[in-house]
Amino acid sequence: MKIVIVGAGIGGLATALSLGAAGFDDVTVVERATELRPLGVGINLLPHAVRELTELGLADRVGSIGVAPSRLSYFNRFGQPVWSEPRGLEAGYHWPQLSVHRGEFQLLLADEVRRRFGAEAIRTGWRATGVEHGVPGADGGVCERVRFTDAAGSELVLDADVVVGADGIHSALRAQEHPGEGAPPWNRLVLWRGTALAPTYLDGRTMIMAGDAEQKFVAYPLVAPGAEGGMTRVNFIAERRAPEGVDETADWNHAVDPAPIVELFADWAFDWLDVPAVIAAADEILEYPMVDRNPLERWTVGRTTLIGDAAHALYPNGSNGASQAILDARSLAFHLATAADTGIDGIEAALAAYEADRRPITTRLSAMTRELGPERVMQLAYERAPQGFADVHDVIPEAELRQIADSYKVAAGFHPDVLNERSSLTAAVRR
Ligand SMILES: Cc1cc2nc3c(=O)[nH]c(=O)nc-3n(C[C@H](O)[C@H](O)[C@H](O)COP(=O)(O)OP(=O)(O)OC[C@H]3O[C@@H](n4cnc5c(N)ncnc54)[C@H](O)[C@@H]3O)c2cc1C
């Protein structure tokens, strides 16, 4: 079976590795960028994604570039504690949560793809422009035909049995089937992402979020405690709703001056973390709008389907974007590997099974993240005690906080009781 994957982001590369592990040999990943570079800052891989990476044999390599957060703690904008919970192994999962640098992780996956399929398996510098379904192929069969163009205007045409659109939130393959969608909807929140060397805070491994729905600060260490003396490399996201009149910009690599952002957070110098000092110490700050995509009624047309952000870009509330892309990849490979046959009907049934598995979950997650997801605990604290509190339980009972945290984990498929027990997505092609 010949499979073409469009996009060498985390979703596309994880799909290639999942297909390789399932025994598919003819896999090509085609990427628009002329070169894969370590772009982005930190992302979190939640235990459900780390389980899949572990089953792909990548636990040690990914573990070596990541830090396992011990806790996730939420605070209000005065730095008062709202909710705190253990994460990863500390929370009873069989797999850790890992904070990694997105670009480093992407290059690690790319390296593994080249090892598994050969250096030519990732073709860079080709932008997909469209796909035709069910066209006569050179071998007399019926194929999917993807067209690409390069910077010089040359065209590349690839025929495949299956095409996977892993081309991100601005997916060309999605736009072809859903031409009226336009730009991703923006909720008027602006995110500023960066990394900074900062004094080690709390236990040195805690992911923190402070604030509410209007203004928020998130931080987590990207190196193990002690690696940089009393300092730690922190990944942060500062967030604030834009005033009316500000235009959307969707450029991930748009660097901005830290001074106005430091000013916005000037009052947020907590006794356990000096937020304005962290922002001021950033190497570089990237600005972008908080956008997602409206859920689709279907991801698959012919034998072309979508995965990751192309299928279901989510707001980052819940730190689940990369993890959901990895789960898509594993589910897709599982269903293709266990298809009743390798003919058109078998493949179409496998793609339908993949979509039935993954679309309802990610649609639910999209709705939850639009309602703040697990971060609703902070907004509730703000609504009930805008000036702060002596003890959060005076304004929100512990059971209510726990219910918000648990319901998100159940919806996202990573409650420890479910994840530890569910069957594996590892499957091999029937020969
Ligand atoms: C440059 C960049 C930086 C990011 N930084 C962060 C970050 O710091 N923190 C965070 O949480 N998330 C970040 N993200 C998003 C995060 O990586 C994704 O939400 C998540 O990993 C899901 O990945 P994906 O593979 O579905 O999509 P993406 O990671 O967006 O990957 C899509 C890939 O497809 C390629 N592509 C797009 N269009 C075409 C086309 N027409 N033809 C061929 N190839 C195409 C893109 O170049 C990209 O490599 C970033 C994404 C990008 C692209």
Side-chain angles (χ1 to χ4, degrees):
M1 190 184 301
K2 183 171 177 50
I3 302 167
V4 170
I5 299 168
V6 178
I10 289 167
L13 295 168
T15 303
L17 290 173
S18 302
L19 291 167
F24 293 97
D25 289 324
D26 194 348
V27 175
T28 305
V29 186
V30 189
E31 163 61 41
R32 173 181 63 179
T34 47
E35 178 192 4
L36 293 185
R37 290 186 298 123
L39 298 177
V41 279
I43 56 169
N44 264 272
L45 301 170
L46 300 179
H48 46 317
V50 177
R51 172 177 181 176
E52 302 311 328
L53 295 168
T54 302
E55 293 184 9
L56 286 171
L58 300 176
D60 289 348
R61 271 200 87 181
V62 181
S64 73
I65 64 161
V67 175
S70 58
R71 301 192 73 79
L72 170 57
S73 299
Y74 297 92
F75 301 83
N76 65 6
R77 60 168 65 203
F78 307 109
Q80 296 167 322
V82 173
W83 172 253
S84 181
E85 61 185 27
R87 299 295 275 194
L89 300 176
E90 275 89 344
Y93 291 100
H94 296 166
W95 304 272
Q97 175 171 333
L98 290 173
S99 304
V100 296
H101 186 281
R102 175 197 178 272
E104 248 183 277
F105 178 55
Q106 183 190 13
L107 293 191
L108 182 160
L109 295 179
D111 185 49
E112 290 288 337
V113 169
R114 291 186 178 112
R115 273 205 326 186
R116 169 67 180 78
F117 294 102
E120 302 306 313
I122 304 176
R123 301 184 64 167
T124 55
W126 292 104
R127 180 174 60 83
T129 53
V131 57
E132 291 164 73
H133 309 290
V135 297
D139 59 1
V142 175
C143 66
E144 302 286 280
R145 177 164 295 159
V146 207
R147 294 182 187 279
F148 301 87
T149 183
D150 69 3
S154 305
E155 192 180 46
L156 170 71
V157 179
L158 294 179
D159 287 352
D161 298 297
V162 177
V163 174
V164 182
D167 48 345
I169 191 166
H170 300 290
S171 167
L173 298 198
R174 175 177 173 131
Q176 172 181 318
E177 309 300 347
H178 306 273
E181 272 201 304
W186 181 35
N187 63 5
R188 303 206 60 77
L189 285 168
V190 180
L191 308 185
W192 295 286
R193 289 180 184 268
T195 66
L197 202 56
T200 302
Y201 65 90
L202 301 176
D203 69 350
R205 287 204 294 132
T206 297
M207 178 173 188
I208 67 99
M209 302 195 186
D212 48 62
E214 293 303 303
Q215 186 166 351
K216 194 177 79 186
F217 186 77
V218 177
Y220 50 87
L222 285 176
V223 295
E228 311 236 20
M231 306 292 276
T232 187
R233 177 136 311 263
V234 172
N235 182 84
F236 71 82
I237 307 163
E239 180 182 313
R240 164 97 172 213
R241 201 168 301 278
E244 291 299 325
V246 172
D247 276 344
E248 176 185 346
T249 149
D251 184 354
W252 277 98
N253 297 302
H254 171 70
V256 295
D257 176 13
I261 308 164
V262 172
E263 193 51 41
L264 285 175
F265 286 84
D267 295 340
W268 295 44
F270 312 138
D271 55 7
W272 51 272
L273 180 71
D274 187 338
V275 171
V278 174
I279 300 171
D283 307 317
E284 180 183 53
I285 298 184
L286 304 177
E287 175 181 76
Y288 67 98
M290 195 194 278
V291 288
D292 68 355
R293 281 289 186 192
N294 292 322
L296 292 179
E297 292 295 313
R298 63 175 186 173
W299 292 348
T300 308
V301 178
R303 282 170 286 144
T304 296
T305 196
L306 303 173
I307 71 146
D309 282 5
H312 52 69
L314 301 169
Y315 291 154
N317 307 330
S319 318
N320 219 331
S323 297
Q324 292 300 318
I326 292 167
L327 286 169
D328 291 346
R330 289 281 287 168
S331 168
L332 179 60
F334 174 85
H335 288 294
L336 285 172
T338 54
D341 65 78
T342 55
I344 291 178
D345 289 349
I347 293 173
E348 285 180 354
L351 297 181
Y354 153 69
E355 202 179 309
D357 233 18
R358 298 294 306 150
R359 203 163 49 76
I361 293 177
T362 52
T363 298
R364 206 159 51 241
L365 275 182
S366 167
M368 289 186 96
T369 51
R370 286 177 173 185
E371 293 298 318
L372 302 176
E375 297 173 20
R376 205 148 51 83
V377 293
M378 291 189 291
Q379 180 60 11
L380 217 51
Y382 171 71
E383 286 165 8
R384 295 189 190 172
Q387 301 309 321
F389 41 72
D391 180 340
V392 69
H393 297 132
D394 296 340
V395 291
I396 318 178
E398 156 125 23
E400 193 175 353
L401 293 165
R402 185 173 299 285
Q403 195 273 333
I404 293 171
D406 281 353
S407 63
Y408 179 77
K409 294 192 190 81
V410 170
F414 77 109
H415 193 284
D417 297 346
V418 177
L419 180 63
N420 287 345
E421 296 308 320
R422 83 151 159 75
S423 55
S424 169
L425 289 172
T426 296
V429 183
R430 294 195 200 104
R431 301 241 176 230

